[in-house]
């Protein structure tokens, strides 16, 4: 069952995300009241709140298998001390070091190793967690998605397993565009609108974003060269390439084909059910067959290749003529056709029912871009709009999924830190996993919002002696 | 986040103002003039004045608490990262000057693994520049602005100056060995000279003393030589001897590796490279269940479908 709220406000649960509600929850996070709870309840509670942050995306059983009671720690050693003493001074006197006058400052400086903060250290070894810790994703779940979607490489090879346990020295790279999307501010109103328009054009032309950008750049270059060499038109012709979009593949064309077939079917059905005229049985059969063919063709109009559609079209006109007959046009139908033609000057195909006009149009259509003009107009308008945006600010690109020019998302700085077991290079969106996280005196490398007491209770829960 | 209190005020500012208040109260009216003169003195050594004559509202210096991202956990702090210039210097020292990773690590106070990683990452960055792949400069800038940094100090290159300033991280970290987790009472003679080496042997017969388990054992050795007041030539000679023995060890290891590689017969057919290695049937052992045995053996269950088995790669290359 899908959970209702990930960042709920009623019950404070701190999650592994950069969400603003999560930040609010962090400010409200407090130690659970344990006075009235049994030890078991305390452990349960500690486990519950810590697991909401540490590897929430991992199944409990999976984490239980990862859990280890061994906690890694290091003690920094001074090489000068190692050189000057061989350790025998600690065994002098009565076996616990020579007694020295009490030095309060020295005992104060000695800090305990926060071992309990290492409880969830094995989770930090996972690839998705490392990506999130390296500030390449805005949440652990998003990092996981990046891995699953193939946007992450480990040592130069694509790695699709978010549960891959990094080994010391592993270099992981995340696709820069994904990182910019994850860490960038979202698009605002106008950019969102223009972005949607770009998306629509892309969909209509059935090309990828890269190709669309290339096309737009090409058009722009062509226009520029056109302007530059206005006197010598032949030169401009050579330099500016015609757009490569196949009008045959065009959405507009297919849409019109569908409309044609629909009108033909409608017309045939009128004929079929017309009470004024009696039809022969053979004629009725012909009409039924035509309707059947036309309907099946209409359902496939967006799937078939263009050449077939083009061939089919003439055959349908023939069949329509044979079965329904072109000389029995209704007045209403003729009016409707006229109206449509007037309405949509681009779609000159309105007279589909009229076989003669159909045939006359056919050779023309193969030459001139059919429906292409619409897209071209759209594209020109779009280019204009983008140019206008560019005047406002440099580097504006509404086709990107984030606000351009790029800026970090709100509240990112509150969550920004890079633990020491990673060496990150944000410029190339790459990082190296240096070693497993360790605890050192007074300092932990496992980023956790919970104090040692809670961690200890959680640790005790997973020791499985309840 | 740890730098702020519940009301959203900077804790260090609140604390400083409270201290001022207390000072003012305890001082009374006698030294009013001095109070007025140094309202932000302890926090603001360079009490800069604004052009319009008012005192600039400068912040008290950051403490460790200000670097804690999580208010409840003072044990975790946002530790500084290497600045871009620092990374470039590391790359220069390793690649252009040809210093070893160990030397660079010891001289700059950066872990050896980090030095190696920085060199790798800078190399990739240079490659991206070469092939004109756009670098994420804005993102880099934004992230670096959010993090504390260890800046490159050119003065630090000399030994004396470096001692004064703090290094990026501790480079001589001794891992806590599992065997040392237990408390052992060892009765021994009072006169015995009981050293770290002996202690290690008590914990585990094979455990090495701390001197050999730290990442930079050579630093202690060098310091010992300084304490012994050896002449420069002698120290140099010893260092060379150490380097030579290291080199010898590396050569032996390389030779072993090469021998291992050579034992694998390689057949390159263009698309694939087949590798044939010698397998002995006897490796399976008398009962056919030996760990070194290969292939499917009758009666030995294949565990690859059972729960808890690793099905995803455990290492890349």
């Amino acid at each position: 069952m899908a959970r209702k709220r990930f960042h709920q406000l009623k019950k404070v649960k701190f999650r592994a995300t950069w969400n603003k509600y999560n930040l609010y929850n962090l400010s409200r996070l407090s130690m659970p009241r344990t006075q009235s709870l049994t030890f078991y309840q305390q452990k349960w509670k500690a486990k519950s709140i810590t697991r909401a942050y540490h590897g929430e995306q991992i199944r409990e059983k999976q984490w239980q298998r990862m859990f280890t009671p061994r906690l890694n720690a290091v003690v920094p050693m001074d090489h000068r001390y190692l050189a000057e003493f061989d350790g025998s001074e600690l065994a002098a006197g009565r076996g616990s070091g020579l007694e020295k006058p009490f030095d309060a400052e020295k005992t104060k400086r000695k800090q305990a190793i926060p071992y309990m903060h290492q409880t969830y250290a094995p989770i930090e070894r996972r690839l998705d967690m490392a990506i999130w810790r390296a500030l390449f994703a805005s949440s652990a779940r998003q990092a996981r998605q990046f891995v699953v979607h193939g946007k992450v490489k480990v040592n130069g090879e694509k790695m699709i397993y978010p549960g891959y346990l990094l080994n010391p020295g592993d270099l992981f790279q995340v696709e820069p565009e994904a990182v910019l999307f994850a860490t960038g501010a979202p698009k605002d109103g106008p950019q969102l609108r223009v972005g949607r328009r770009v998306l629509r054009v892309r969909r209509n032309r059935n090309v990828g974003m890269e190709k669309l950008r290339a096309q737009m750049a090409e058009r722009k270059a062509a226009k520029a060269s056109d302007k530059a060499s206005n006197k010598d038109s032949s030169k401009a012709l050579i330099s500016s390439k015609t757009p490569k979009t196949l009008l045959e593949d065009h959405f507009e064309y297919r849409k019109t084909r569908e409309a044609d077939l629909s009108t033909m079917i409608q017309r045939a059905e009128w004929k079929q059910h017309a009470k004024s005229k009696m039809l022969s049985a053979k004629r009725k059969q012909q009409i039924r067959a035509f309707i059947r063919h036309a309907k099946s063709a209409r359902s496939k109009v967006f799937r078939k290749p263009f050449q077939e559609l083009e061939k089919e079209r003439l055959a349908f006109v023939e069949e329509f003529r044979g079965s329904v007959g072109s000389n029995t046009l209704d007045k209403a139908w003729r009016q409707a056709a006229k109206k449509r033609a007037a309405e949509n000057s681009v779609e000159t195909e309105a007279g589909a029912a009229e076989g003669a006009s159909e045939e006359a149009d056919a050779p023309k259509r193969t030459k001139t871009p059919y429906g292409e003009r619409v897209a071209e107009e759209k594209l020109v308008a779009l280019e204009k709009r983008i140019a206008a945006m560019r005047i406002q600010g440099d580097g504006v690109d509404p086709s990107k999924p984030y606000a351009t020019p790029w800026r970090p998302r709100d509240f990112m700085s509150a969550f920004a830190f890079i633990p020491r077991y990673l060496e990150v290079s944000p410029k190339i969106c790459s990082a190296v996993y240096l070693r497993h996280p360790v605890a050192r005196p007074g300092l932990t490398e496992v980023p956790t919002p919970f104090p040692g007491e809670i961690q200890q209770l959680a640790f005790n829960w997973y020791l499985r002696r309840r | 986040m740890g730098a702020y209190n519940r009301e959203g005020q900077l804790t260090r500012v609140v604390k400083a103002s409270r201290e001022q208040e207390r000072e003012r109260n305890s001082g009374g009216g006698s030294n009013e003039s001095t109070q007025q003169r140094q309202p932000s003195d302890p926090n603001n050594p360079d009490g800069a004045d604004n052009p319009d004559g008012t005192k600039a509202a400068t912040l008290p210096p950051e403490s460790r608490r200000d670097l804690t991202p999580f208010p409840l956990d003072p044990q975790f702090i946002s530790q500084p990262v290497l600045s871009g210039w620092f990374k470039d210097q590391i790359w220069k020292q390793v690649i252009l000057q040809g210093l070893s990773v160990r030397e660079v690590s010891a001289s700059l106070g950066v872990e050896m693994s980090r030095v190696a990683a920085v060199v790798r990452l800078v190399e990739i960055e240079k490659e991206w520049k070469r092939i004109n792949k756009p670098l994420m400069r804005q993102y880099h800038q934004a992230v670096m602005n959010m993090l504390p940094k260890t800046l490159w100090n050119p003065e630090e290159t000399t030994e004396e100056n470096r001692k004064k300033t703090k290094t990026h991280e501790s480079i001589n970290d001794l891992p806590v060995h599992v065997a040392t987790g237990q408390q052992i009472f060892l009765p021994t003679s009072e006169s015995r000279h009981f050293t770290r080496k002996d202690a290690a042997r008590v914990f585990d017969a094979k455990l090495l003393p701390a001197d050999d388990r730290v990442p930079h054992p050579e630093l202690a050795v060098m310091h010992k030589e300084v304490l012994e007041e050896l002449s420069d030539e002698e120290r140099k000679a010893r260092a060379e001897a150490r380097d030579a023995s290291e080199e010898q060890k590396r050569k032996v290891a390389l030779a072993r590796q090469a021998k291992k590689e050579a034992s694998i017969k390689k057949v390159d057919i263009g698309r694939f490279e087949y590798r044939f290695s010698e397998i002995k049937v006897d490796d399976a052992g008398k009962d056919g269940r030996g760990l070194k045995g290969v292939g499917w053996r009758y009666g030995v269950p294949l565990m690859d479908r059972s729960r808890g088995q690793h099905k995803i790669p455990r290492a890349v290359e």
Side-chain angles (χ1 to χ4, degrees):
Chain A
M1 198 188 89
R3 57 174 182 253
K4 281 225 176 88
R5 281 196 207 294
F6 192 51
H7 300 290
Q8 75 254 36
L9 295 177
K10 214 175 211 176
K11 197 185 201 176
V12 178
K13 272 201 172 168
F14 187 61
R15 303 287 189 177
T17 71
W18 298 349
N19 189 285
K20 61 180 175 182
Y21 293 103
N22 205 36
L23 186 62
Y24 177 54
N25 274 347
L26 176 62
S27 75
R28 299 193 306 154
L29 195 66
S30 58
M31 288 285 283
R33 295 179 175 211
T34 49
Q35 297 98 309
S36 57
L37 301 181
T38 65
F39 188 42
Y40 182 92
Q41 285 169 332
Q42 287 178 30
K43 285 192 288 187
W44 172 274
K45 193 153 215 174
K47 181 222 79 171
S48 162
I49 61 170
T50 49
R51 279 281 283 135
Y53 177 78
H54 291 286
E56 173 270 329
Q57 77 275 24
I58 310 168
R59 270 173 288 126
E60 184 66 5
K61 206 71 187 173
Q62 223 171 331
W63 156 238
Q64 279 175 2
R65 275 204 296 269
M66 283 163 78
F67 174 79
T68 167
R70 289 214 172 147
L71 307 169
N72 292 332
V74 295
V75 183
M77 297 298 281
D78 187 3
H79 66 272
R80 275 173 245 115
Y81 169 77
L82 287 178
E84 285 163 27
F85 302 94
D86 61 356
S88 62
E89 87 284 355
L90 293 172
R94 292 167 63 199
S96 54
L98 276 176
E99 271 179 47
K100 279 174 221 145
F102 180 70
D103 190 354
E105 216 171 81
K106 253 190 183 170
T107 48
K108 208 174 127 193
R109 249 192 291 152
K110 228 180 192 179
Q111 284 171 310
I113 297 175
Y115 272 107
M116 284 306 134
H117 282 75
Q118 291 289 305
T119 304
Y120 290 105
I123 285 180
E124 303 301 317
R125 219 187 135 182
R126 284 173 58 101
L127 178 60
D128 53 353
M129 287 306 266
I131 288 166
W132 182 57
R133 295 294 188 205
L135 307 180
F136 295 151
S138 67
S139 72
R141 277 185 175 269
Q142 190 178 41
R144 183 192 162 84
Q145 195 187 39
F146 285 169
V147 181
V148 171
H149 287 191
K151 287 174 177 160
V152 177
K153 280 180 180 175
V154 175
N155 291 339
E157 279 176 40
K158 190 164 106 175
M159 172 59 69
I160 52 161
Y161 303 105
Y164 172 72
L165 298 180
L166 289 161
N167 297 312
D170 272 353
L171 183 135
F172 56 92
Q173 296 168 295
V174 185
E175 215 168 80
E177 275 302 307
V179 174
L180 292 186
F181 166 64
T183 58
K187 282 196 274 196
D188 54 347
Q191 279 200 5
L192 210 61
R193 274 197 294 282
V194 180
R196 272 195 215 114
R197 205 162 300 129
V198 173
L199 204 70
R200 216 174 302 136
V201 169
R202 189 166 70 88
R203 208 163 40 222
N204 289 354
R205 321 188 112 213
N206 200 16
V207 291
M209 193 50 101
E210 288 303 308
K211 205 173 168 189
L212 183 73
R213 277 206 197 101
Q215 281 172 10
M216 274 155 68
E218 215 168 59
R219 257 161 218 267
K220 212 179 146 194
K223 219 186 268 170
S225 71
D226 217 23
K227 253 184 203 168
S229 56
N230 226 357
K231 292 161 201 166
D232 192 2
S233 57
S234 63
K235 222 178 197 178
L237 266 176
I238 294 161
S239 61
S240 66
K241 285 180 199 163
T242 47
K244 272 184 193 165
T245 40
L246 292 171
L247 63 100
E248 290 87 346
D249 271 342
H250 210 279
F251 185 67
E252 290 291 335
Y253 172 79
R254 288 170 189 276
K255 233 158 69 177
T256 330
R257 288 296 315 140
E258 190 188 34
D260 294 348
L261 283 166
S262 293
T263 43
M264 280 200 272
I265 290 163
Q266 200 185 17
R267 175 84 192 95
E269 276 170 353
W270 279 348
K271 182 100 182 178
Q272 197 181 14
H273 302 302
K275 280 172 188 161
S276 55
K277 273 184 187 171
M278 287 293 285
L279 296 168
S280 66
K282 203 179 173 191
R283 193 71 184 262
K284 274 181 183 171
Q285 272 178 356
Q286 278 176 341
I287 292 175
R288 273 203 294 276
F290 170 76
I291 290 173
R292 202 165 54 242
H293 290 163
K295 275 186 176 172
S296 90
R298 190 174 60 175
S299 69
K300 283 170 196 156
V301 85
F302 285 100
R303 281 177 273 161
K304 273 188 179 165
F306 166 76
Q307 289 86 346
E308 262 183 58
L309 278 183
E310 205 41 35
K311 255 187 242 163
E312 235 178 45
R313 202 161 59 100
L314 292 174
F316 267 115
V317 171
E318 285 301 313
E319 197 179 343
F320 182 76
R321 269 217 215 136
S323 59
V324 185
S326 57
N327 53 348
T328 53
L329 275 177
D330 282 334
K331 242 186 194 170
W333 159 243
R334 214 178 281 164
Q335 274 172 358
K338 248 185 205 167
K339 206 176 164 191
R340 244 185 84 210
E343 255 176 16
N344 202 342
S345 60
V346 181
E347 289 179 33
T348 47
E349 178 105 291
E354 283 180 309
S357 75
E358 177 92 24
E359 269 186 337
D361 268 9
K364 218 199 270 173
R365 212 171 298 116
T366 46
K367 262 193 278 171
T368 55
Y370 185 91
E372 173 75 348
R373 241 177 301 162
V374 181
E376 214 161 52
E377 275 165 15
K378 271 185 191 169
L379 201 67
V380 168
L382 190 73
E383 275 166 6
K384 265 184 198 163
R385 216 171 275 268
I386 291 169
M389 299 284 284
R390 204 159 290 143
I391 292 162
Q392 286 170 16
D394 197 32
V396 173
D397 185 356
S399 63
K400 301 271 191 208
Y402 45 85
T404 42
W406 186 90
R407 61 176 197 277
R409 49 186 288 163
D410 293 343
F411 309 108
M412 178 181 166
S413 63
F415 298 103
F417 53 81
I418 292 176
R420 276 281 163 87
Y421 58 86
L422 293 173
E423 179 57 40
V424 181
S425 181
K427 235 182 246 178
I428 50 172
C429 297
S430 310
V432 177
Y433 183 80
L434 299 179
R435 54 185 160 76
H436 303 317
V438 291
R440 52 184 77 240
L443 211 65
T444 176
E445 282 185 355
V446 179
T448 171
F450 310 105
E453 295 86 349
I454 295 178
Q455 301 267 348
Q456 184 164 19
L457 286 167
F459 181 77
N460 273 297
W461 172 270
Y462 288 111
L463 282 178
R464 299 191 63 87
R465 287 197 203 102
R466 357 186 215 270
Chain B
M1 190 73 190
Y4 299 89
N5 62 12
R6 285 258 167 145
E7 280 73 46
Q9 301 157 316
L10 259 179
T11 315
R12 63 175 191 270
V13 172
V14 174
K15 212 176 160 190
S17 67
R18 210 180 293 144
E19 260 168 29
Q20 270 176 37
E21 194 74 25
R22 206 181 302 137
E23 234 171 74
R24 207 168 293 159
N25 290 343
S26 65
S30 60
N31 51 357
E32 212 171 285
S33 58
T34 56
Q35 285 295 324
Q36 273 180 350
R37 201 152 42 80
Q38 45 167 357
S40 58
D41 231 8
N43 324 314
N44 180 23
D46 56 322
D49 282 55
N50 277 349
D52 56 337
T54 56
K55 204 82 173 167
T58 47
L59 289 169
E62 276 187 357
S63 66
R64 188 184 145 137
R65 187 192 44 221
D66 296 301
L67 293 173
T68 53
F70 307 118
L72 280 188
D73 183 22
Q75 310 272 39
F76 178 76
I77 60 167
S78 169
Q79 285 172 289
V81 296
L82 295 174
S83 67
W85 186 250
F86 205 126
K87 285 182 188 175
D88 283 346
Q89 293 302 319
I90 289 176
W91 179 83
K92 260 182 206 162
Q93 293 199 358
V94 173
I95 300 295
L96 300 184
Q97 295 175 23
L99 296 174
S100 72
V101 171
R102 187 172 285 274
E103 281 171 319
V104 174
S105 162
S107 69
L108 300 181
V110 178
E111 260 180 40
M112 279 191 285
S113 55
R114 197 179 301 281
V115 170
V118 163
V119 172
R120 249 173 112 184
L121 290 169
V122 172
E123 284 284 327
I124 294 174
E125 194 186 310
K126 288 194 187 297
E127 176 64 15
W128 279 34
K129 269 182 198 158
R130 198 183 62 76
I131 61 171
N132 275 337
K133 195 168 173 182
L135 298 174
M136 305 293 115
R137 286 180 197 284
Q138 277 168 315
Y139 169 68
H140 170 83
Q141 201 61 41
V143 167
M144 290 311 259
N145 283 343
M146 293 174 195
L147 300 171
K149 291 172 283 288
T150 306
L151 298 172
W152 172 260
N153 182 3
E155 306 288 301
E156 276 179 31
T157 43
T158 60
E159 190 73 17
E160 287 75 38
N161 277 318
R162 197 162 50 72
K163 269 175 198 160
K164 281 181 219 157
T165 54
K166 58 174 185 168
T167 51
H168 179 64
E169 59 196 331
S170 74
I171 51 167
N172 237 5
D173 284 339
L174 174 72
V176 175
H177 198 273
V178 195
T180 60
Q182 54 183 331
Q183 192 175 18
I184 298 174
F185 288 95
L186 180 81
T188 182
S189 68
E190 210 172 300
S191 58
R192 186 174 166 193
H193 189 70
F194 196 80
T195 61
R196 277 194 289 272
K197 215 171 187 174
D198 300 317
R201 210 170 292 148
V202 170
F203 278 124
D204 192 296
K206 281 181 188 168
L207 185 64
L208 293 170
D211 312 53
D212 300 332
R213 288 180 53 233
V214 291
H216 284 279
E218 83 284 359
L219 289 181
V221 174
M222 277 151 72
H223 190 67
K224 219 179 261 177
E225 284 166 1
V226 172
L227 291 178
E228 281 170 22
E229 291 176 353
L230 294 178
S231 65
D232 281 1
E233 292 84 52
E234 213 162 349
R235 270 162 56 197
K236 213 172 186 180
R238 284 199 188 183
E240 272 166 14
R242 267 202 305 276
D243 287 349
S245 76
E246 275 295 308
E247 190 62 27
Q248 186 62 29
K249 266 185 204 166
R250 203 178 306 136
K251 266 183 192 163
V252 169
L254 278 176
R256 200 183 301 135
Q257 185 71 23
K259 200 181 166 190
K260 210 173 167 187
E261 283 280 302
S263 72
I264 299 169
K265 194 182 163 194
K266 287 168 188 163
V267 179
D268 197 355
I269 58 158
R271 190 169 172 193
F272 303 111
E273 189 189 59
Y274 291 108
R275 289 158 183 239
F276 299 100
S277 48
E278 286 291 318
I279 296 295
K280 283 185 201 139
V281 182
D282 296 340
D283 282 343
K286 266 187 182 170
D287 57 355
R289 286 170 185 251
L291 285 171
K292 281 183 182 170
V294 290
W296 185 80
R297 281 159 287 147
Y298 184 77
V300 181
L302 277 171
M303 298 296 283
D304 57 352
R305 289 297 192 112
S306 55
R307 277 173 78 229
Q309 297 289 320
H310 280 273
K311 296 188 191 79
I312 65 174
R314 304 183 75 173
V316 180
E317 0 145 277

